[in-house]
Amino acid sequence: MKNLPGTPGPIGIFDSGYGGLTILHGIRRLLPQYDYLYLGDNARAPYGTRSFDVVYEFTRQSVMKLFEMGCHLVILGCNTASAKALRTIQQNDLPLVDPSRRVLGIIRPTAEIIGSLTETRHVGILATEGTIKSESYTLEIQKLFPDISVSGVACPFWVPLVEYNECDSPGADYFVKKRIDQLMALDSRIDAVILGCTHYPLLMPKIQKYIPSGVRIVPQGDYVADSLRSYLSRHPEMERKCTRGGRVHYLTTESPEKFRESAQIFLHEPVEVESVTL
């Protein structure tokens, strides 16, 4: 799968686990013509409770692997990696490794669109503990829209509910309602809630069930895809480095069998996957 340096290659999508598959799904739906290479660091997931230094090092290793496999553009389809590692990789690593390559995150595209999705200017975030503690959404949103008030709640049990295929269970009702109630208790004027973890769209039926009427739910996949399309149109020099074959290949640091089984929950289609070492 390795490409010669400088030759066009696939667009890389990285996540610590499986949630980034929802980002990949949104991107492929809008931009099906490109080739994609997805890397899940499933053996070391989850990243949500790990320190900034550990998340940065793990993310850097994965980005370098995707560069090695021929990607010129890598999307961090992981909120925790976007919150804790993106800026350091962009500022410290890319100038040394290859200034022509790019790594983009998924927090800013959502922050950029939120101003047009809220009327009360009160926004909520449901995310992992690491993303909430980083305050990345709050900082990005208030940088762009200083008038917007942001409240966030960590949802530690939501990712296991998804990965153990318990989205439809009564237990899911309890944990989803608990965190939504907690968020709305912080600020009853919230009229838009960002799902700040890529797993959470799979809980959408439960979230819709318990979110108050009139509150907009904001998953990330479509907005990230729109942002990528805009980025490629504004940077034709990068677009020319992305191969077009409509293909997607998957890499995992776990066993391919386990990845194939779990990926079915997110994609509902068989996948071709191989194991890699970082």
Side-chain angles (χ1 to χ4, degrees):
M1 289 236 12
K2 295 184 181 180
N3 289 17
L4 294 173
T7 60
I11 295 172
I13 311 283
F14 164 72
D15 185 32
S16 59
Y18 301 102
L21 294 170
T22 64
I23 298 296
L24 174 61
H25 177 72
I27 291 174
R28 287 180 66 197
R29 191 167 54 190
L30 187 66
L31 301 167
Q33 67 271 34
Y34 297 105
D35 294 325
Y36 298 96
L37 183 59
Y38 182 93
L39 170 56
D41 188 12
N42 308 91
R44 300 189 292 193
Y47 282 14
T49 56
R50 294 187 184 273
S51 70
F52 272 75
D53 288 345
V54 169
V55 171
Y56 159 67
E57 182 56 29
F58 286 1
T59 304
R60 187 190 67 79
Q61 290 171 2
S62 297
V63 167
M64 295 306 143
K65 172 61 72 171
L66 287 167
F67 285 169
E68 179 188 321
M69 304 294 282
C71 300
H72 296 270
L73 173 64
V74 173
I75 312 297
L76 301 186
C78 171
N79 284 277
T80 303
S82 295
K84 294 183 175 182
L86 176 63
R87 190 174 299 275
T88 305
I89 289 173
Q90 288 175 332
Q91 294 180 349
N92 296 357
D93 294 298
L94 289 184
L96 297 175
V97 174
D98 185 344
S100 71
R101 297 187 193 250
R102 292 290 179 268
V103 180
L104 306 176
I106 59 174
I107 291 176
R108 187 170 180 87
T110 315
E112 288 174 340
I113 199 70
I114 200 65
S116 65
L117 302 179
T118 172
E119 295 182 3
T120 65
R121 316 308 279 175
H122 288 251
V123 170
I125 313 290
L126 295 169
T128 64
E129 181 182 356
T131 298
I132 294 297
K133 283 186 174 180
S134 74
E135 297 190 336
S136 295
Y137 274 101
T138 302
L139 294 171
E140 286 291 342
I141 291 171
Q142 293 188 334
K143 192 188 306 178
L144 298 166
F145 308 104
D147 62 315
I148 291 182
S149 174
V150 183
S151 301
V153 165
C155 309
F157 293 104
W158 287 23
V159 168
L161 284 171
V162 173
E163 295 202 343
Y164 286 100
N165 208 10
E166 295 288 334
C167 294
D168 297 324
S169 70
D173 285 83
Y174 171 80
F175 288 113
V176 170
K177 183 179 188 301
K178 180 178 182 179
R179 298 308 178 187
I180 289 175
D181 289 350
Q182 185 179 344
L183 178 65
M184 299 309 296
L186 289 176
D187 184 353
S188 62
R189 297 188 63 196
I190 288 171
D191 71 344
V193 174
I194 295 171
L195 303 185
C197 173
T198 52
H199 283 67
Y200 295 177
L202 276 77
L203 288 163
M204 189 65 80
K206 301 292 190 191
I207 295 170
Q208 290 172 329
K209 181 177 178 180
Y210 294 110
I211 206 84
S213 176
V215 176
R216 181 193 291 262
I217 305 167
V218 185
Q220 296 173 291
D222 291 344
Y223 302 111
V224 171
D226 280 333
S227 180
L228 177 58
R229 178 171 62 179
S230 173
Y231 177 85
L232 291 173
S233 70
R234 288 181 285 109
H235 296 86
E237 76 286 354
M238 178 58 71
E239 199 276 339
R240 287 192 293 270
K241 295 178 182 177
C242 302
T243 52
R244 292 167 168 258
R247 297 177 294 266
V248 59
H249 190 75
Y250 300 88
L251 306 173
T252 178
T253 55
E254 251 283 6
S255 75
E257 293 75 19
K258 187 175 188 305
F259 185 94
R260 274 192 289 268
E261 180 182 332
S262 297
Q264 293 283 339
I265 300 171
F266 293 84
L267 296 176
H268 307 293
E269 66 180 24
V271 300
E272 175 192 348
V273 59
E274 65 179 280
S275 181
V276 294
T277 302
L278 302 179

